[in-house]
Amino acid sequence: TQLLEQSPQFLSIQEGENLTVYCNSSSVFSSLQWYRQEPGEGPVLLVTVVTGGEVKKLKRLTFQFGDARKDSSLHITAAQPGDTGLYLCAGGSGGGADGLTFGKGTHLIIQP
Amino acid sequence: NAGVMQNPRHLVRRRGQEARLRCSPMKGHSHVYWYRQLPEEGLKFMVYLQKENIIDESGMPKERFSAEFPKEGPSILRIQQVVRGDSAAYFCASSPKGSSGNTIYFGEGSWLTVV
């Protein structure tokens, strides 16, 4: 069974600070996706990474896929209250069974 | 997640009743996935369907749960004889191809409450 561990589970910081959240596994994934989910809504895709070592930037968000494709990180620079939400990572394993494996998420609160 | 339509958004059922959740994928998408999210839990994969075929149902409970994606119309997740433990948010997602390396798009979910 593939598992994705996300850390920290909860994070509350002040506006303007930087932060990094992590997504780790002992399994190799063919792709890894990051989502943001707000209360009462569905997950919204932020990024997909597929190549080991890949780095993608989305404004103040930087996503990295580990060289071995077992882990990923999300770094937010100068966090803003609008960044508040649940950040989920999800791994795809391919091979025909195409359901994604999700971590439990990091609950992020950015205080003004 | 714009484009994947789920209904109802909220559903209340008494124990023992049936719940039917519908999902219309994004235009042009022929792959549908159902996930369940329990309070304080991550999303758990339930089933993956293509038109008229169940591709992977490894995450579906063995009893009371079924899913279909007919040639015409939405995909339906059916829960018979609901119990309180079925209370959760059920999310549908769709993609043009299998999800491996491809983007899947989620709907806004259907919140089932069993009383």
Side-chain angles (χ1 to χ4, degrees), chain A residues 10 30-31 33 35 37 40-45 48 50 86 88 92-100 102-104 107, chain B residues 1 9 33 35 37 40-45 48 55-56 91 97-109 111:
Chain A
F10 296 95
S30 61
S31 67
Q33 302 180 357
Y35 293 84
Q37 185 180 20
E41 298 183 7
V44 176
L45 180 70
T48 300
V50 297
L86 175 65
L88 298 163
S93 56
D98 281 354
L100 295 174
F102 276 84
K104 291 187 178 182
H107 294 264
Chain B
N1 59 354
R9 290 295 314 279
Y33 312 82
Y35 288 79
Q37 188 174 38
E40 304 306 321
E41 294 280 335
L43 283 95
K44 301 293 186 185
F45 168 74
Y48 162 39
I55 307 303
D56 180 358
F91 290 97
K97 300 179 182 179
S99 66
S100 304
N102 293 295
T103 300
I104 71 171
Y105 298 88
F106 282 86
E108 294 192 330
W111 268 257

Side-chain angles (χ1 to χ4, degrees), chain A residues 48-102:
Chain A
T48 300
V49 286
V50 297
T51 305
E54 184 176 1
V55 177
K56 281 192 175 180
K57 292 192 174 184
L58 183 66
K59 296 183 180 179
R60 293 176 293 100
L61 278 60
T62 302
F63 305 85
Q64 185 164 7
F65 200 12
D67 291 341
R69 290 185 290 133
K70 293 182 178 180
D71 54 81
S72 181
S73 63
L74 160 60
H75 182 79
I76 302 179
T77 303
Q80 299 177 1
D83 295 327
T84 293
L86 175 65
Y87 289 82
L88 298 163
C89 67
S93 56
D98 281 354
L100 295 174
T101 299
F102 276 84

Side-chain angles (χ1 to χ4, degrees), chain B residues 17-89:
Chain B
Q17 291 185 319
E18 178 180 286
R20 286 195 179 208
L21 310 178
R22 297 173 192 79
C23 170
S24 296
M26 285 183 71
K27 186 177 181 180
H29 288 191
S30 58
H31 297 242
V32 165
Y33 312 82
W34 284 94
Y35 288 79
R36 178 165 63 175
Q37 188 174 38
L38 293 166
E40 304 306 321
E41 294 280 335
L43 283 95
K44 301 293 186 185
F45 168 74
M46 299 181 74
V47 64
Y48 162 39
L49 311 104
Q50 295 180 28
K51 284 286 188 181
E52 300 184 278
N53 288 305
I54 297 175
I55 307 303
D56 180 358
E57 57 181 348
S58 58
M60 287 280 270
K62 299 298 182 188
E63 299 177 345
R64 303 187 297 106
F65 284 72
S66 62
E68 63 177 7
F69 189 15
K71 186 176 181 181
E72 300 291 336
S75 175
I76 295 175
L77 179 67
R78 182 184 179 199
I79 311 172
Q80 296 178 289
Q81 299 175 326
V82 295
V83 301
R84 288 219 172 112
D86 297 332
S87 295

